[in-house]
Amino acid sequence: MSGLIARPRAAAPSEVSCRAQLMGGWVSVHLRTVGAPDDARREADRALHRIERWASRLTRHAASSELSALNADPSSATEVRPTLGAALDWGRAAESLSGGAVDIAMLEARLAAEGLASADEPAKRAAWRAWSTSRRGRLTTVHRTDRVRFDLDGVAKGWIADRALATLAAYEERIVDADGDIAVAVAPGSSWSIGVADPRNPGFDLAVLNLGGSTAADEFGVATSGTSVHRWVVAGEARHHLIDPRTGRSAVTDVVQATVVAGSARVAEALAKTAVILGSERGLEFLAGADARGALLLTDRDELLMTSETDRWLA
């Protein structure tokens, strides 16, 4: 979900920003350069075009995408191209990282939450999620029971942000904001400021994070997940898009929004989603033992909770 706005700490003539509507929201690239700004702007535009191509392969919302073709294929073994194969592999890794809270094979449950499909009993749903991958050269074969279908919408954004950041390695200071999943690279002694949107007050920040400031170059990921944006009422029941794999239904949680700082955008996205699904008490315990470098949890009691590492990043 889009909960973050990348903002340079201080405007400078050598700062270049490009922005486009992609992946159901806004995607932006920010570069600081000592070279020609026009060259940096061209590189930022190229990065946006790459993001558009990658996203077009991984979305479930376009019938022409590679993911849609995989979901429509009734075969128990389907060969997919490198981008989709790599994204699926990260989805499996995110499942392990999150203790099973992140599960990309939950499309049926997501559609049921939206009122677009009927939900089946949890035992059958669990059987649907049996899948694995194998590699042959650059191609990946997806092995699955015949009812497994994948939803990469959330997982793909962080993964794409990290991939785009890597293509811009010629620029020591750079940000890729993939609709709220943000990959950040900072030069020694420098920093970037990231505003965390307040879901209760549109246009206002819940907090501002200053990332960097050390004597060494560093990379960060920042991501927000929550229950306040993608919501529906189906058969009189309020539902949202974060599915708890234990029940196959929208997670019952006291966390309205979780923002996590990690070493990459894809890890931050997985940890933030897990914290929401688990709820504030178990979510904070989980984050304390995970790869989080900081976290802010907003509860339905208007409490703002954070891990002990978070203070160092707060403006």
Side-chain angles (χ1 to χ4, degrees), residues 275-296:
V276 176
I277 290 172
L278 293 179
S280 61
E281 184 176 352
R282 291 192 59 209
L284 286 172
E285 291 175 359
F286 166 79
L287 292 171
D291 293 329
R293 300 174 69 177
L296 295 164

Side-chain angles (χ1 to χ4, degrees), residues 162-176:
D162 289 334
R163 190 175 187 184
L165 192 79
T167 69
L168 295 164
Y171 296 88
E172 191 173 23
E173 295 204 81
R174 58 201 190 275
I175 283 182
V176 177

Side-chain angles (χ1 to χ4, degrees), residues 76-80 85 88 132-136 139-143:
S76 60
T78 305
E79 206 167 62
V80 299
L88 290 169
S132 62
T133 61
S134 62
R135 186 69 56 83
R136 182 175 63 85
L139 299 178
T140 294
T141 299
V142 181
H143 309 273

Side-chain angles (χ1 to χ4, degrees), residues 116-174:
L116 301 176
S118 60
D120 291 79
E121 59 268 28
K124 285 186 178 180
R125 190 178 299 109
W128 295 355
R129 299 201 302 271
W131 67 282
S132 62
T133 61
S134 62
R135 186 69 56 83
R136 182 175 63 85
R138 297 180 69 245
L139 299 178
T140 294
T141 299
V142 181
H143 309 273
R144 55 190 168 151
T145 55
D146 61 2
R147 300 190 73 173
V148 166
R149 294 199 294 165
F150 301 96
D151 178 9
L152 292 173
D153 282 0
V155 166
K157 289 181 180 179
W159 182 83
I160 285 173
D162 289 334
R163 190 175 187 184
L165 192 79
T167 69
L168 295 164
Y171 296 88
E172 191 173 23
E173 295 204 81
R174 58 201 190 275

Side-chain angles (χ1 to χ4, degrees), residues 8-16 31-33 37:
R9 187 176 187 185
S14 58
E15 215 161 77
V16 168
L31 303 174
R32 289 180 182 151
T33 177

Side-chain angles (χ1 to χ4, degrees), residues 28-46:
S28 58
V29 176
H30 309 266
L31 303 174
R32 289 180 182 151
T33 177
V34 295
D38 286 347
D39 291 341
R41 191 167 289 105
R42 279 191 290 272
E43 287 302 314
D45 276 333
R46 286 194 189 99

Side-chain angles (χ1 to χ4, degrees), residues 2 12 29 57 67 70 81 95 97 103 117 119 121 138 150 172 174 186 217 240 249 259 285 307 314:
S2 179
V29 176
R57 297 168 186 167
L67 179 62
L70 172 63
R81 297 176 66 184
E95 181 180 345
L97 176 70
D103 190 336
E121 59 268 28
R138 297 180 69 245
F150 301 96
E172 191 173 23
R174 58 201 190 275
V186 188
H240 58 79
R249 298 181 181 276
T259 297
E285 291 175 359
T307 58
L314 293 177

Side-chain angles (χ1 to χ4, degrees), residues 180-265:
D181 289 359
I182 302 179
V184 182
V186 188
S190 187
S191 66
W192 291 92
S193 292
I194 306 292
V196 181
D198 187 340
R200 304 163 301 181
N201 300 294
F204 290 87
D205 286 336
L206 191 65
V208 176
L209 306 172
N210 280 340
L211 302 181
S214 73
T215 57
D218 207 349
E219 292 192 5
F220 300 87
V222 185
T224 287
S225 187
T227 64
S228 62
V229 176
H230 301 295
R231 298 185 64 87
W232 311 274
V233 176
V234 180
E237 178 185 357
R239 301 178 185 178
H240 58 79
H241 74 295
L242 294 180
I243 305 300
D244 187 338
R246 297 168 297 186
T247 64
R249 298 181 181 276
S250 298
V252 178
T253 176
D254 64 335
V255 178
V256 175
Q257 179 174 292
T259 297
V260 171
V261 180
S264 67

